[in-house]
Amino acid sequence: MTRDDDTMLIEACLRGDRHAFDKLVDRYEGPLFSAAYRITGSVEDAMDATQNAFLNAYEKLHTFDPGYRFFSWIYRIGVNQALNLVSGRKPETALDNDVPAPARGPAEIFDSTEARAHLEQALGELEPLYRVAIVLKHLEGLSYREIGDLLGIPEKTVKSRLFTARQRLRIILSERGFAP
Amino acid sequence: MNNDRLEALLWARVDGTIEAEELAELEAHLAEHPEPREIERQITTIAEELGHLDEVKPPPRLRVRIDGALATATPPTAHPTAAPRSHLTAAWPRRWLPLAASILIGIAIGYLVHPGAGGSIGRLAATGSMLNHAAPDAGRVEIQLAADAGSVVASRAGADVVVHVMLSREIEIDVTLLGTGGEVSFTGLESAGASATEISTQRDRVKVHLRGPGAATLSATAAELGDPLRLVVSVEGAPAEERWIGPGDGS
């Protein structure tokens, strides 16, 4: 998929072809839900955030600037929706367990199940502010600048938050006796 | 080398952003001090495991929900009043540029008069009107326009801000939301009678020009949850009022 593909779909949608937007949902439902789940730690909240992100994006599609990547735009909406959901909530003790398993080989899953379970739990205990930094850097592979753009904060702040997030994650894991 | 510095360098090495001098410093330190090897091992493993956390697949019912929501949503083409995101200079006709400049200068002078004025903004130099001195954490602010011309009510919950504008007569106003530290994103404008002739967005602000009578609702999102926003209202081209909008109840 390319930016041009997205642009064509957006133009078609703005001309009244509602089903063109379905293809954008096909493309970005997975990454949006995954990021929202990592941030909220809840399947239901992640579904709400993802649904609201697509709904808002659809209704405000005429405001989208084609000079930007559509994915960046809707991803930002989704991340903010997820952050809103957790902003007034106490930190989760663990992420939900009713999530479909990731698409990896059984042997690989077996080998890393315990490590991932500890890591998931520790991630769920971070404050959303720090959790989102980890998610965007390590799971989405964004650069400091991209994270800063997405969250609307300076690159320096991104580095600072990421440092704190990683340090807390390591300390949590060490305190649990899980020193990877 | 203290532990924070050590940890920062170890992560920078994992990220591939470590400078050559820093790398030499780190390696020399690790050679002389074997104790931090445990931290090094932990960081390396955490980074590796984080990279193995796969994308979580959404439950199939999510797509059903999205499709259902989209089926009843307002099509984007049904919003003729809004303009694409653009910079102030591109979105505004030349005749508005002096006004925009005067507003910005007024705000700048206000800051000079009251540097670091905490929760209040001070006085708008352009008009001399007293401004709201409410605490910056007020999640709901209200501005009554002079001569019963209407009202502007802003409510904020967490990052989301909604500004309801009611204009009781034929009047033109500008409503601007400014971020004080982070970005503000325009998410929508619904009008009921009032017409929006201009919408402009920049990284740290969203501005709409409305013409009454009628009502309109502006929606925006602050990227920083704790970032106080400023609501600036100008009536018929003259700066009128400013208010802080705090994060509200965060719900």
Side-chain angles (χ1 to χ4, degrees), chain B:
Chain B
M1 182 184 297
N2 63 35
N3 277 350
D4 280 357
R5 169 79 175 157
L6 172 73
E7 198 155 342
L9 290 182
L10 287 169
W11 276 112
R13 189 174 65 178
V14 168
D15 290 342
T17 57
I18 193 168
E19 302 289 338
E21 284 181 10
E22 293 173 328
L23 182 60
E25 179 190 353
L26 175 66
E27 288 177 345
H29 181 81
L30 290 174
E32 287 178 23
H33 304 87
E35 313 85 54
R37 288 285 179 191
E38 180 59 20
I39 294 178
E40 180 188 21
R41 194 180 65 79
Q42 289 176 355
I43 285 174
T44 305
T45 311
I46 288 172
E48 190 176 320
E49 289 299 329
L50 281 170
H52 287 160
L53 289 180
D54 299 273
E55 181 176 304
V56 180
K57 289 185 178 177
R61 66 182 188 277
L62 174 59
R63 185 54 190 260
V64 176
R65 281 176 47 172
I66 293 172
D67 289 344
L70 292 176
T72 57
T74 307
T77 47
H79 298 269
T81 56
R85 176 188 174 121
S86 55
H87 293 291
L88 184 67
T89 50
W92 278 50
R94 284 181 182 278
R95 64 193 170 91
W96 289 109
L97 290 178
L99 167 62
S102 68
I103 292 171
L104 292 174
I105 291 168
I107 292 169
I109 293 173
Y111 271 118
L112 289 174
V113 171
H114 294 277
S120 63
I121 300 170
R123 184 183 295 268
L124 253 187
T127 61
S129 64
M130 284 304 293
L131 299 171
N132 173 276
H133 284 247
D137 58 352
R140 183 183 182 281
V141 297
E142 183 171 347
I143 296 173
Q144 290 294 331
L145 302 179
D148 292 323
S151 62
V152 178
V153 179
S155 303
R156 178 173 177 183
D160 289 331
V161 186
V162 177
V163 183
H164 298 286
V165 180
M166 201 286 291
L167 303 173
S168 59
R169 57 184 170 82
E170 192 170 330
I171 184 175
E172 291 190 15
I173 74 168
D174 293 309
V175 177
T176 307
L177 279 171
L178 292 124
T180 55
E183 185 167 343
V184 182
S185 302
F186 171 75
T187 54
L189 180 72
E190 303 291 339
S191 62
S195 59
T197 55
E198 295 289 339
I199 299 174
S200 65
T201 64
Q202 288 182 295
R203 183 179 174 80
D204 65 342
R205 69 196 59 196
V206 173
K207 186 170 193 170
V208 295
H209 182 81
L210 297 165
R211 181 180 296 134
T217 301
L218 166 68
S219 305
T221 299
E224 278 287 281
L225 291 178
D227 183 17
L229 300 175
R230 279 187 294 156
L231 172 69
V232 181
V233 175
S234 301
V235 178
E236 306 286 6
E241 295 277 355
E242 266 184 63
R243 296 283 193 279
W244 282 114
I245 313 171
D249 59 11
S251 60

Side-chain angles (χ1 to χ4, degrees), chain A residues 33-47 49 82-83 85-86 89-99 120-121 123-126 128 131-132 135, chain B residues 56:
Chain A
F33 173 82
S34 189
Y37 172 72
R38 299 289 186 201
I39 293 167
T40 62
S42 153
V43 172
E44 289 304 319
D45 283 349
M47 288 173 64
L83 284 171
L85 286 171
V86 296
R89 219 174 56 186
K90 289 181 179 177
E92 298 289 331
T93 53
L95 301 180
D96 277 356
N97 291 322
D98 61 337
V99 180
E120 295 267 17
Q121 185 165 16
L123 258 181
E125 291 175 27
L126 292 178
R131 197 188 307 160
V132 73
V135 168
Chain B
V56 180

Side-chain angles (χ1 to χ4, degrees), chain A residues 116-161:
Chain A
R116 281 198 294 120
H118 281 287
L119 198 53
E120 295 267 17
Q121 185 165 16
L123 258 181
E125 291 175 27
L126 292 178
E127 293 171 54
L129 188 72
Y130 297 117
R131 197 188 307 160
V132 73
I134 295 275
V135 168
L136 297 178
K137 176 66 182 170
H138 288 280
L139 279 67
E140 303 303 324
L142 301 187
S143 67
Y144 294 136
R145 174 175 290 184
E146 288 170 325
I147 295 171
D149 287 346
L150 200 145
L151 297 178
I153 56 177
E155 204 173 317
K156 196 174 174 182
T157 307
V158 173
K159 288 180 183 175
S160 165
R161 282 191 193 172

